[in-house]
Amino acid sequence: MHIPVLLEEVLEHLNPQANENFIDCTIGEAGHSLAILERNKPKGKVLGIDWEAENIKKLEEDRLIPVCGNFANLKNIVRQHNFQPISGILLDLGFSSWHTDESGKGFSFQQDEPLIMRYAEDGLTAAEIVNQWPEKEIGDILKEYGEETFARKIAKEIIRQRKIKSIIATTELVETIKKAVPGWYQHKRIHFATRTFQALRIATNQELENLKEVLPQALEILKPEGKLIIISFHSLEDRIVKNFLREKAKDNILKIITKKPITASIEEIKFNPRSRSAKMRVGQKS
Ligand SMILES: C[S@@+](CC[C@H](N)C(=O)[O-])C[C@H]1O[C@@H](n2cnc3c(N)ncnc32)[C@H](O)[C@@H]1O
């Protein structure tokens, strides 16, 4: 099961009151949403969006409106459901534990699965990137999205390997990465495939582009004094959020509530290692 990250901190800042409405743009297994629904009784609703149809299928809850879609289309989704007024919007970015543990879509380098890495039912797959993109572009995404030291070497090895046989499974990709990186890199605490897998996931789902699209829409549809909360797990995501909040604060469209990002406590990290890299920022619409 996916353990919601920074749950107490999210609730403290959203501060849900009776009958208020909220949007969870990344509902996943509804960890945050269920806690919100406990507090906005008896008539408050949550519009819960997820791009992953399997997550949406599992949700059946009173006062919860589940929607399968990309949060980059937030305004349209909200319009279609005539959902208002909105007191708070939450984005808890990235993938859920279900994706790595159960989806069978190749999100984890620890399982032997097809290289899909896609939240949506159709569209680009990681296998297409690995087998069709030019070496330079593969190297670029590994460097930029994965901050991978051996980006160019791995890209080169991917091209060499795919000329012999297409790389279609996670295990084949892991073997390819292994051939490209030095021995000492294979014995580090962080697995040598971590950064490549992260980069491919971000590129496959266009995660940074979606984030850039959703932020202005979220701010626009919030009611005055409504809260916008973003939890990110990657420095590039956090930079996008930080710059957006700063820019809008300069224009007096919102107030920055978190001068510095909120991070997980040592206790939370022990209990849920996934929270280690979480950074939460909060803005309040003017
Ligand atoms: C970290 S999980 C959310 C976990 C959730 N807060 C919980 O407590 O269970 C992120 C979720 O966002 C979804 N997601 C990622 N990108 C998305 C997008 N562009 N639009 C909608 N959902 C997205 C993923 O499918 C995943 O289920």
Side-chain angles (χ1 to χ4, degrees), residues 2-5 24-33 49-52 55 69-72 90 92-97 99 119 205 207 210 233 274:
H2 186 91
I3 307 167
V5 165
D24 185 342
C25 288
T26 50
I27 190 162
E29 295 183 31
H32 295 102
S33 279
I49 304 170
D50 206 290
W51 214 1
E52 175 60 66
N55 280 344
N70 183 345
F71 58 55
L90 172 66
D92 174 19
L93 299 169
F95 57 107
S96 69
S97 306
H99 280 115
Y119 305 127
N205 296 290
E207 296 190 15
N210 291 332
F233 295 85
R274 199 180 175 280

Short mmCIF file of all heavy atoms in Angstrom, two decimals, residues 2-5 24-33 49-52 55 69-72 90 92-97 99 119 205 207 210 233 274, ligand 1:
data_model
loop_
_atom_site.label_atom_id
_atom_site.label_comp_id
_atom_site.label_asym_id
_atom_site.label_seq_id
_atom_site.Cartn_x
_atom_site.Cartn_y
_atom_site.Cartn_z
N HIS A 2 0.40 2.28 -0.69
CA HIS A 2 1.14 3.54 -0.74
C HIS A 2 0.91 4.32 0.56
O HIS A 2 -0.23 4.58 0.93
CB HIS A 2 0.66 4.35 -1.94
CG HIS A 2 1.45 5.59 -2.16
ND1 HIS A 2 2.56 5.64 -2.97
CD2 HIS A 2 1.32 6.83 -1.64
CE1 HIS A 2 3.06 6.85 -2.96
NE2 HIS A 2 2.33 7.60 -2.16
N ILE A 3 1.99 4.68 1.22
CA ILE A 3 1.85 5.46 2.46
C ILE A 3 1.89 6.95 2.09
O ILE A 3 2.86 7.39 1.47
CB ILE A 3 2.99 5.14 3.45
CG1 ILE A 3 3.08 3.63 3.68
CG2 ILE A 3 2.80 5.89 4.75
CD1 ILE A 3 4.37 3.21 4.37
N PRO A 4 0.84 7.71 2.43
CA PRO A 4 0.86 9.13 2.05
C PRO A 4 2.00 9.88 2.72
O PRO A 4 2.26 9.70 3.91
CB PRO A 4 -0.50 9.65 2.50
CG PRO A 4 -1.02 8.65 3.47
CD PRO A 4 -0.39 7.34 3.15
N VAL A 5 2.66 10.72 1.96
CA VAL A 5 3.82 11.47 2.45
C VAL A 5 3.36 12.79 3.07
O VAL A 5 2.42 13.42 2.58
CB VAL A 5 4.77 11.70 1.24
CG1 VAL A 5 5.80 12.76 1.54
CG2 VAL A 5 5.46 10.40 0.85
N ASP A 24 -7.70 16.81 -5.36
CA ASP A 24 -6.45 16.05 -5.25
C ASP A 24 -6.08 15.68 -6.68
O ASP A 24 -6.72 14.84 -7.30
CB ASP A 24 -6.70 14.81 -4.38
CG ASP A 24 -5.42 14.04 -4.11
OD1 ASP A 24 -4.44 14.26 -4.84
OD2 ASP A 24 -5.41 13.20 -3.18
N CYS A 25 -5.06 16.35 -7.21
CA CYS A 25 -4.69 16.16 -8.63
C CYS A 25 -3.99 14.83 -8.87
O CYS A 25 -3.82 14.43 -10.02
CB CYS A 25 -3.76 17.28 -9.07
SG CYS A 25 -4.60 18.84 -9.25
N THR A 26 -3.52 14.19 -7.79
CA THR A 26 -2.76 12.93 -7.91
C THR A 26 -3.28 11.98 -6.83
O THR A 26 -2.57 11.67 -5.88
CB THR A 26 -1.26 13.21 -7.67
OG1 THR A 26 -1.15 13.97 -6.45
CG2 THR A 26 -0.62 13.98 -8.80
N ILE A 27 -4.51 11.52 -6.99
CA ILE A 27 -5.17 10.85 -5.85
C ILE A 27 -4.52 9.52 -5.50
O ILE A 27 -4.53 9.13 -4.33
CB ILE A 27 -6.69 10.73 -6.09
CG1 ILE A 27 -7.37 10.27 -4.79
CG2 ILE A 27 -7.02 9.82 -7.25
CD1 ILE A 27 -8.83 10.50 -4.74
N GLY A 28 -3.95 8.82 -6.47
CA GLY A 28 -3.26 7.55 -6.18
C GLY A 28 -4.14 6.60 -5.41
O GLY A 28 -5.24 6.26 -5.84
N GLU A 29 -3.69 6.22 -4.21
CA GLU A 29 -4.49 5.32 -3.37
C GLU A 29 -5.28 6.10 -2.33
O GLU A 29 -5.73 5.54 -1.32
CB GLU A 29 -3.59 4.27 -2.75
CG GLU A 29 -3.01 3.38 -3.84
CD GLU A 29 -2.14 2.25 -3.31
OE1 GLU A 29 -2.38 1.74 -2.21
OE2 GLU A 29 -1.20 1.89 -4.03
N ALA A 30 -5.41 7.38 -2.56
CA ALA A 30 -6.31 8.26 -1.79
C ALA A 30 -5.89 8.49 -0.35
O ALA A 30 -6.73 8.89 0.48
CB ALA A 30 -7.74 7.74 -1.85
N GLY A 31 -4.64 8.26 -0.03
CA GLY A 31 -4.17 8.48 1.35
C GLY A 31 -4.50 9.88 1.85
O GLY A 31 -5.10 10.04 2.92
N HIS A 32 -4.15 10.89 1.07
CA HIS A 32 -4.43 12.27 1.49
C HIS A 32 -5.93 12.56 1.40
O HIS A 32 -6.50 13.19 2.28
CB HIS A 32 -3.66 13.27 0.63
CG HIS A 32 -2.17 13.17 0.79
ND1 HIS A 32 -1.37 12.53 -0.14
CD2 HIS A 32 -1.34 13.61 1.75
CE1 HIS A 32 -0.12 12.59 0.27
NE2 HIS A 32 -0.07 13.25 1.42
N SER A 33 -6.55 12.09 0.33
CA SER A 33 -7.96 12.41 0.09
C SER A 33 -8.88 11.85 1.18
O SER A 33 -9.82 12.53 1.61
CB SER A 33 -8.41 11.88 -1.27
OG SER A 33 -8.01 12.76 -2.27
N ILE A 49 -8.19 13.25 -9.07
CA ILE A 49 -7.73 12.96 -10.44
C ILE A 49 -6.52 12.02 -10.39
O ILE A 49 -5.67 12.14 -9.51
CB ILE A 49 -7.31 14.28 -11.13
CG1 ILE A 49 -8.47 15.29 -11.11
CG2 ILE A 49 -6.83 14.03 -12.57
CD1 ILE A 49 -8.07 16.69 -11.55
N ASP A 50 -6.47 11.09 -11.32
CA ASP A 50 -5.23 10.31 -11.52
C ASP A 50 -5.18 9.88 -12.98
O ASP A 50 -6.20 9.56 -13.59
CB ASP A 50 -5.16 9.09 -10.60
CG ASP A 50 -3.72 8.68 -10.33
OD1 ASP A 50 -3.06 8.18 -11.28
OD2 ASP A 50 -3.23 8.89 -9.22
N TRP A 51 -3.98 9.87 -13.51
CA TRP A 51 -3.77 9.50 -14.91
C TRP A 51 -3.81 7.98 -15.07
O TRP A 51 -3.96 7.45 -16.17
CB TRP A 51 -2.42 10.04 -15.36
CG TRP A 51 -2.35 10.47 -16.78
CD1 TRP A 51 -3.36 10.46 -17.70
CD2 TRP A 51 -1.20 10.98 -17.44
NE1 TRP A 51 -2.89 10.95 -18.89
CE2 TRP A 51 -1.57 11.28 -18.76
CE3 TRP A 51 0.12 11.23 -17.04
CZ2 TRP A 51 -0.67 11.80 -19.69
CZ3 TRP A 51 1.01 11.76 -17.96
CH2 TRP A 51 0.61 12.03 -19.27
N GLU A 52 -3.63 7.30 -13.93
CA GLU A 52 -3.55 5.84 -13.93
C GLU A 52 -4.95 5.28 -13.72
O GLU A 52 -5.51 5.38 -12.63
CB GLU A 52 -2.60 5.42 -12.79
CG GLU A 52 -2.50 3.95 -12.56
CD GLU A 52 -1.99 3.20 -13.77
OE1 GLU A 52 -0.83 3.40 -14.14
OE2 GLU A 52 -2.76 2.41 -14.36
N ASN A 55 -5.77 3.05 -10.66
CA ASN A 55 -5.97 3.73 -9.37
C ASN A 55 -7.40 4.23 -9.26
O ASN A 55 -8.03 4.11 -8.21
CB ASN A 55 -5.01 4.92 -9.23
CG ASN A 55 -3.63 4.48 -8.80
OD1 ASN A 55 -3.46 3.35 -8.34
ND2 ASN A 55 -2.64 5.33 -8.97
N GLY A 69 -7.53 11.13 -15.68
CA GLY A 69 -7.08 12.13 -16.64
C GLY A 69 -5.75 12.72 -16.23
O GLY A 69 -5.24 12.44 -15.13
N ASN A 70 -5.21 13.52 -17.13
CA ASN A 70 -3.94 14.20 -16.88
C ASN A 70 -4.23 15.53 -16.20
O ASN A 70 -5.04 16.32 -16.70
CB ASN A 70 -3.25 14.44 -18.24
CG ASN A 70 -1.88 15.06 -18.11
OD1 ASN A 70 -1.52 15.58 -17.05
ND2 ASN A 70 -1.13 15.04 -19.19
N PHE A 71 -3.57 15.79 -15.08
CA PHE A 71 -3.84 17.05 -14.38
C PHE A 71 -3.45 18.27 -15.21
O PHE A 71 -3.82 19.40 -14.87
CB PHE A 71 -3.25 17.07 -12.97
CG PHE A 71 -1.75 16.87 -12.85
CD1 PHE A 71 -0.84 17.67 -13.52
CD2 PHE A 71 -1.25 15.87 -12.01
CE1 PHE A 71 0.53 17.49 -13.38
CE2 PHE A 71 0.12 15.68 -11.86
CZ PHE A 71 1.01 16.50 -12.55
N ALA A 72 -2.70 18.05 -16.29
CA ALA A 72 -2.39 19.17 -17.18
C ALA A 72 -3.68 19.74 -17.80
O ALA A 72 -3.69 20.87 -18.28
CB ALA A 72 -1.44 18.72 -18.28
N LEU A 90 -4.22 19.91 -4.10
CA LEU A 90 -3.00 19.17 -3.73
C LEU A 90 -2.41 18.46 -4.94
O LEU A 90 -3.14 17.85 -5.72
CB LEU A 90 -3.35 18.12 -2.66
CG LEU A 90 -2.24 17.13 -2.30
CD1 LEU A 90 -1.07 17.83 -1.62
CD2 LEU A 90 -2.79 16.02 -1.39
N ASP A 92 0.69 15.69 -5.36
CA ASP A 92 1.71 14.84 -4.73
C ASP A 92 2.34 14.07 -5.90
O ASP A 92 1.83 13.05 -6.33
CB ASP A 92 0.98 13.91 -3.73
CG ASP A 92 1.89 12.87 -3.11
OD1 ASP A 92 3.11 13.04 -3.14
OD2 ASP A 92 1.35 11.87 -2.58
N LEU A 93 3.44 14.62 -6.40
CA LEU A 93 3.91 14.27 -7.75
C LEU A 93 4.55 12.88 -7.85
O LEU A 93 4.95 12.28 -6.85
CB LEU A 93 4.90 15.34 -8.23
CG LEU A 93 4.28 16.74 -8.32
CD1 LEU A 93 5.38 17.79 -8.54
CD2 LEU A 93 3.24 16.84 -9.44
N GLY A 94 4.65 12.42 -9.10
CA GLY A 94 5.41 11.18 -9.38
C GLY A 94 4.54 9.94 -9.41
O GLY A 94 3.39 9.99 -9.81
N PHE A 95 5.13 8.84 -8.97
CA PHE A 95 4.45 7.55 -9.06
C PHE A 95 4.13 7.05 -7.66
O PHE A 95 4.64 7.55 -6.67
CB PHE A 95 5.32 6.54 -9.81
CG PHE A 95 6.68 6.34 -9.21
CD1 PHE A 95 6.99 5.18 -8.54
CD2 PHE A 95 7.66 7.32 -9.32
CE1 PHE A 95 8.25 4.98 -7.98
CE2 PHE A 95 8.92 7.13 -8.76
CZ PHE A 95 9.21 5.97 -8.10
N SER A 96 3.26 6.03 -7.60
CA SER A 96 2.90 5.49 -6.29
C SER A 96 3.58 4.13 -6.09
O SER A 96 4.12 3.55 -7.04
CB SER A 96 1.39 5.35 -6.17
OG SER A 96 0.94 4.33 -7.04
N SER A 97 3.53 3.63 -4.88
CA SER A 97 4.15 2.33 -4.59
C SER A 97 3.51 1.24 -5.45
O SER A 97 4.18 0.29 -5.84
CB SER A 97 3.96 1.96 -3.12
OG SER A 97 4.44 2.99 -2.33
N HIS A 99 2.73 1.46 -8.47
CA HIS A 99 3.40 1.45 -9.77
C HIS A 99 4.65 0.56 -9.75
O HIS A 99 4.86 -0.24 -10.65
CB HIS A 99 3.78 2.86 -10.21
CG HIS A 99 2.62 3.61 -10.80
ND1 HIS A 99 2.08 4.72 -10.22
CD2 HIS A 99 1.89 3.38 -11.91
CE1 HIS A 99 1.05 5.13 -10.94
NE2 HIS A 99 0.93 4.35 -11.97
N TYR A 119 1.92 6.19 -17.10
CA TYR A 119 0.73 6.21 -16.24
C TYR A 119 -0.52 6.01 -17.10
O TYR A 119 -1.42 5.27 -16.75
CB TYR A 119 0.59 7.54 -15.51
CG TYR A 119 1.80 7.93 -14.69
CD1 TYR A 119 2.41 9.17 -14.85
CD2 TYR A 119 2.34 7.06 -13.75
CE1 TYR A 119 3.50 9.54 -14.09
CE2 TYR A 119 3.43 7.42 -12.98
CZ TYR A 119 4.01 8.66 -13.16
OH TYR A 119 5.11 9.01 -12.43
N ASN A 205 6.43 10.27 -19.34
CA ASN A 205 5.17 10.88 -18.93
C ASN A 205 5.17 12.41 -19.06
O ASN A 205 4.20 13.05 -18.66
CB ASN A 205 4.86 10.49 -17.48
CG ASN A 205 4.66 8.99 -17.35
OD1 ASN A 205 3.66 8.46 -17.83
ND2 ASN A 205 5.63 8.30 -16.75
N GLU A 207 6.65 14.64 -17.33
CA GLU A 207 6.23 15.07 -16.00
C GLU A 207 6.49 16.55 -15.74
O GLU A 207 5.68 17.22 -15.10
CB GLU A 207 6.90 14.19 -14.93
CG GLU A 207 6.41 12.75 -15.08
CD GLU A 207 6.80 11.82 -13.95
OE1 GLU A 207 7.22 12.29 -12.88
OE2 GLU A 207 6.69 10.61 -14.14
N ASN A 210 3.89 18.67 -17.67
CA ASN A 210 2.57 18.62 -17.02
C ASN A 210 2.52 19.52 -15.80
O ASN A 210 1.51 20.20 -15.56
CB ASN A 210 2.23 17.18 -16.61
CG ASN A 210 1.99 16.29 -17.81
OD1 ASN A 210 1.57 16.76 -18.85
ND2 ASN A 210 2.26 15.00 -17.67
N PHE A 233 9.46 15.46 -5.64
CA PHE A 233 10.49 14.49 -5.24
C PHE A 233 11.76 14.64 -6.07
O PHE A 233 12.63 13.79 -6.03
CB PHE A 233 9.94 13.06 -5.40
CG PHE A 233 8.80 12.77 -4.47
CD1 PHE A 233 7.50 13.11 -4.82
CD2 PHE A 233 9.02 12.19 -3.23
CE1 PHE A 233 6.44 12.86 -3.96
CE2 PHE A 233 7.98 11.94 -2.37
CZ PHE A 233 6.68 12.28 -2.73
N ARG A 274 10.47 6.51 1.31
CA ARG A 274 10.09 7.28 0.13
C ARG A 274 9.95 8.79 0.42
O ARG A 274 10.09 9.63 -0.47
CB ARG A 274 8.75 6.73 -0.36
CG ARG A 274 8.43 7.08 -1.76
CD ARG A 274 7.10 6.51 -2.22
NE ARG A 274 6.84 7.01 -3.54
CZ ARG A 274 6.36 8.20 -3.81
NH1 ARG A 274 6.05 9.00 -2.85
NH2 ARG A 274 6.20 8.61 -5.04
C1 LIG B 1 2.78 9.94 -5.28
S1 LIG B 1 1.36 9.26 -6.04
C2 LIG B 1 0.05 9.96 -5.13
C3 LIG B 1 -0.26 9.23 -3.88
C4 LIG B 1 -1.47 9.73 -3.14
N1 LIG B 1 -1.28 11.07 -2.65
C5 LIG B 1 -1.81 8.78 -2.00
O1 LIG B 1 -1.75 9.21 -0.84
O2 LIG B 1 -2.13 7.63 -2.26
C6 LIG B 1 1.26 10.17 -7.54
C7 LIG B 1 0.10 9.77 -8.42
O3 LIG B 1 0.00 10.77 -9.43
C8 LIG B 1 -0.39 10.15 -10.63
N2 LIG B 1 0.03 11.06 -11.72
C9 LIG B 1 1.27 11.28 -12.17
N3 LIG B 1 1.25 12.20 -13.15
C10 LIG B 1 -0.05 12.57 -13.31
C11 LIG B 1 -0.70 13.49 -14.17
N4 LIG B 1 -0.02 14.22 -15.07
N5 LIG B 1 -2.04 13.62 -14.07
C12 LIG B 1 -2.74 12.89 -13.14
N6 LIG B 1 -2.17 12.00 -12.32
C13 LIG B 1 -0.83 11.84 -12.38
C14 LIG B 1 0.28 8.80 -10.62
O4 LIG B 1 -0.45 7.88 -11.41
C15 LIG B 1 0.24 8.44 -9.13
O5 LIG B 1 -0.85 7.62 -8.84
#
